[in-house]
Amino acid sequence: MTLATATNEHLANISNTLIYSAMAVYTLAFFAYIAEWLFGSRSKVARTADAITTEAGRKAAGPAVTVNKTGGTAVLERPKVVTRAAAGARDVPDGPGAHGGDEQGDLYGRIAISLTALAFLVELGGVIARAASVERAPWGNMYEFNITFSTVAVGVYLTLLALKKNVRWLGLFLTTTVLLDLGLAVTVLYTASDQLVPALHSYWLYIHVSTAIICGAVFYVGAVGTILYLFKDSYENKITTGGRPGTFATSVLERLPSAASLDKFAYRVNAAVFPLWTFTIIAGAIWAESAWGRYWGWDPKETWAFITWVAYACYLHARSTAGWKGRKAAYIALIAFGCWLFNYYGVNIFVSGKHSYAGV
C-alpha cells in the first residue's frame, strides 16, 4: 500500500467519523427543538389565543364594555380578533414562533440553533474530508450527493437566520429530514471512496452538480414552507367559518407565521432559485455535448430534470395568476418538488441511463 493510498483511506475514515458525529449533534438539536415546541405549547399565548378565537372564549369574555359619560352612555365594542388577512392585505401578525412566548422554550430554541450550527460545521468537515480522500469534488455518487445536499440545506437555513428572516420554525422539520437523509446515506447509499469514470472528469462537474445541489436544498426549504402553508390556511379557514380546530393543531399552527406569510415565503424561495435550476439544465446539456457528443438525448435524468423545470415554471405562472393563487398553486409546487425527488432518487435507483454510472 502506497503512502498516498494510506492517506486517502485515513481521510475517508475521518470523513465517516465526522458524518456520524454530525448525526449525533443533529440528534441533540432535534431534541432541543422538540423541547422548544413542548414548552411553547404550555405558554400563555396558546391559552389566550384559544380563549379569544373560540365561541366559548368570547362568551367567557362577557358583553361589550359600557362607559357612562356626561350627557349619555357610550358603548365600547369589544375589539375584533383578526384571524386572517383580507385579500391583498397584510394585517395578520405572524405567530410568536415555536417557543410560543415562553422564556424557557425560547432558551431551548437558541440552544437548538447553536447545536444545528455546530452540526453543520462538523458535517461540512466530513464533506471536505471526503473530497480530500478522493482528490475531487465529493459528488460522484448518491452517498456523496446526500451528505453534501443535507449540508447545503442546513446552510440555507442558517443563512436565512443570519439575515434575520423569520424561519426558526423550520428547525424541527429540517433536522428531522436531515437525520433521515444522513441515515439513508450511511446505510443504504454508502459507497467507499473511489475515482470517477472518465466521463465525469470535467470542470463541469463542479459547475453542474454544485448548482443542482443548491437548487435541491432551496427547493426543499420551499416545499416545507408550502406544506405548512396548506395546514395553516386550513386552520385559518376553520377559525374564520366559526369552527374550532383540535387542541394539537391549535397548539402547533398558532405559533407559525400566518398563511399569507408562509405562502409568500415559499413563492419567493422557489422564484429566487428557479433561474439557477434553468442554468443547471443548460450546464448539464453543455457537459453532455463535451462527454457524449450531443447536447440533449432524452436520457431519463435529462427528461425528469426538464419535467421538474416545467413543473416549477407552471407553479410560478400559476402563482402570478389570480385564479390560481393560494392552495391550487401550492399543490403544483409540491408536485414540482416531487418531480425533483424522483429525478434524484427514483431515476438513480430504478431507471437505467447514461447517468447510471454514479450508482448509489
Side-chain angles (χ1 to χ4, degrees):
M1 180 184 294
T2 65
L3 178 61
T5 301
T7 301
N8 289 344
E9 288 187 358
H10 180 63
L11 288 171
N13 291 332
I14 291 176
S15 173
N16 294 339
T17 301
L18 288 173
I19 294 301
Y20 278 105
S21 299
M23 292 177 66
V25 181
Y26 278 129
T27 301
L28 294 176
F30 169 79
F31 285 117
Y33 283 119
I34 288 289
E36 179 185 19
W37 281 92
L38 288 177
F39 280 100
S41 67
R42 68 177 191 178
S43 70
K44 292 182 179 180
V45 173
R47 294 194 296 271
T48 302
D50 182 66
I52 63 178
T53 57
T54 61
E55 187 64 29
R58 285 192 294 270
K59 289 180 179 179
V65 180
T66 301
V67 179
N68 291 321
K69 286 187 175 182
T70 304
T73 301
V75 178
L76 303 182
E77 295 292 337
R78 190 167 298 281
K80 295 182 179 180
V81 178
V82 180
T83 58
R84 65 182 295 113
R90 300 180 181 179
D91 54 353
V92 175
D94 292 336
H99 56 81
D102 183 90
E103 291 185 6
Q104 194 167 5
D106 183 61
L107 174 62
Y108 278 111
R110 294 178 184 277
I111 293 173
I113 292 173
S114 299
L115 290 171
T116 302
L118 175 60
F120 166 77
L121 294 175
V122 174
E123 186 181 9
L124 180 62
V127 173
I128 294 173
R130 176 75 176 198
S133 73
V134 294
E135 300 178 351
R136 57 168 171 79
W139 311 318
N141 51 61
M142 289 183 69
Y143 168 74
E144 295 173 355
F145 193 102
N146 262 44
I147 62 175
T148 307
F149 169 79
S150 58
T151 304
V152 175
V154 176
V156 171
Y157 169 66
L158 294 175
T159 299
L160 291 173
L161 285 176
L163 294 174
K164 307 298 182 181
K165 302 299 182 181
N166 178 23
V167 295
R168 197 161 119 183
W169 46 268
L170 186 62
L172 177 60
F173 308 98
L174 178 69
T175 51
T176 301
T177 50
V178 164
L179 284 170
L180 291 174
D181 176 81
L182 292 178
L184 183 65
V186 300
T187 54
V188 179
L189 302 179
Y190 181 76
T191 304
S193 299
D194 199 2
Q195 295 303 308
L196 296 173
V197 298
L200 292 181
H201 284 288
S202 171
Y203 60 88
W204 283 106
L205 172 68
Y206 296 88
I207 300 173
H208 173 65
V209 182
S210 64
T211 54
I213 292 172
I214 293 172
C215 289
V218 178
F219 282 148
Y220 160 77
V221 171
V224 174
T226 300
I227 292 171
L228 294 179
Y229 156 73
L230 290 172
F231 281 107
K232 188 61 180 280
D233 185 65
S234 296
Y235 171 79
E236 291 181 356
N237 279 331
K238 180 170 285 189
I239 290 177
T240 302
T241 56
R244 184 173 185 177
T247 303
F248 178 77
T250 299
S251 175
V252 173
L253 295 174
E254 71 183 359
R255 288 178 272 162
L256 293 175
S258 66
S261 295
L262 289 169
D263 183 37
K264 188 187 305 177
F265 169 77
Y267 169 69
R268 288 180 174 177
V269 165
N270 289 325
V273 80
F274 181 73
L276 187 61
W277 181 246
T278 304
F279 171 78
T280 301
I281 296 176
I282 295 173
I286 296 173
W287 188 10
E289 195 280 331
S290 174
W292 303 317
R294 86 315 184 260
Y295 288 100
W296 196 268
W298 295 106
D299 178 78
K301 198 77 169 176
E302 298 168 348
T303 302
W304 276 96
F306 178 68
I307 291 174
T308 302
W309 184 90
V310 171
Y312 273 108
C314 290
Y315 162 70
L316 295 177
H317 176 72
R319 187 61 175 69
S320 62
T321 303
W324 280 84
K325 284 184 178 180
R327 299 185 70 87
K328 292 181 180 179
Y331 292 137
I332 298 176
L334 293 182
I335 292 173
F337 184 67
C339 291
W340 187 90
L341 285 178
F342 182 79
N343 182 39
Y344 175 51
Y345 288 103
V347 172
N348 281 22
I349 296 174
F350 302 113
V351 183
S352 298
K354 284 186 173 292
H355 290 75
S356 299
Y357 48 69
V360 297

